[in-house]
Amino acid sequence: MFRSSMIRRLTLTVLAPAVAAVLLVPATLCADAASDAFFTTKVWPIIDKNCTSCHGADKQKGKLRLDSRAGWIKGGEDGKILVEGDPDKSDVIAAIKYMAKDEDDNMPPKKKTRLTSDQVAIISDWIKQGLPWADAK
Ligand code: HEC
């Protein structure tokens, strides 16, 4: 009797939190690693190939830089370009879908260089995830 309650208490106070920690820590690390990989392998190549020539270190068209997370969050001369976590309310998504209110705002400006629907979906997912940005790029 005494023994079994000791064991039960031991299980609850020591083992349960230990088990929870062992289960939770790798799950968190995995989520970070997965979103880093998503950014590095899927998102960044699209931005780098299609946007940074005009919105990077050399040129900042529309006073906008897209080569850092801070640049995406800050926006350009007309203000914010997105709502974190909400691609449907993000002007930049309308722009790359070629559905901007003013067609001059569609991006990239040359229609023949516009993104594919798969690429738009990746940028949209990325905004939905809160723009995870990995430094290794
Ligand atoms: C060939 C150059 C060029 C490329 C490539 C380009 N842009 Fe632009 N972008 C511009 C110019 C020029 C403006 C300013 C337009 C204006 O002021 O009317 C602009 C403005 C913008 C704006 C509005 C900024 C503001 O506040 O006024 C957004 C958002 C934008 N670009 C996103 C993108 C994205 C995303 C990409 C890549 C998919 C991209 N652009 C690629 C030239 C480019």
Side-chain angles (χ1 to χ4, degrees):
M1 187 61 192
F2 172 75
R3 226 169 152 191
S4 79
S5 77
M6 276 291 282
I7 289 170
R8 197 173 314 130
R9 197 175 310 154
L10 186 74
T11 310
L12 287 174
T13 56
V14 179
L15 290 180
V19 168
V22 167
L23 291 176
L24 283 174
V25 168
T28 319
L29 290 176
C30 278
D32 282 355
S35 52
D36 280 5
F38 175 61
F39 175 77
T40 309
T41 64
K42 306 271 188 191
V43 178
W44 177 248
I46 298 172
I47 298 171
D48 196 27
K49 182 160 183 289
N50 298 284
C51 314
T52 54
S53 60
C54 296
H55 300 290
D58 297 336
K59 294 184 200 163
Q60 295 90 40
K61 300 283 189 189
K63 297 207 170 84
L64 176 67
R65 281 190 76 151
L66 298 176
D67 59 344
S68 70
R69 186 176 190 276
W72 282 82
I73 301 290
K74 182 167 173 241
E77 62 190 359
D78 295 335
K80 293 245 171 207
I81 64 166
L82 60 84
V83 176
E84 264 177 86
D86 198 343
D88 294 340
K89 293 206 179 104
S90 297
D91 291 344
V92 65
I93 294 298
I96 62 175
K97 280 184 170 164
Y98 260 65
M99 287 167 54
K101 277 184 220 110
D102 178 346
E103 72 179 55
D104 289 347
D105 292 342
N106 289 329
M107 287 289 143
K110 281 208 188 87
K111 193 162 190 179
K112 67 171 197 249
T113 63
R114 65 182 280 192
L115 303 186
T116 65
S117 56
D118 284 354
Q119 290 174 319
V120 170
I122 287 168
I123 301 295
S124 183
D125 266 3
W126 176 62
I127 291 178
K128 196 182 269 173
Q129 290 177 22
L131 306 100
W133 192 285
D135 286 328
K137 58 174 193 207

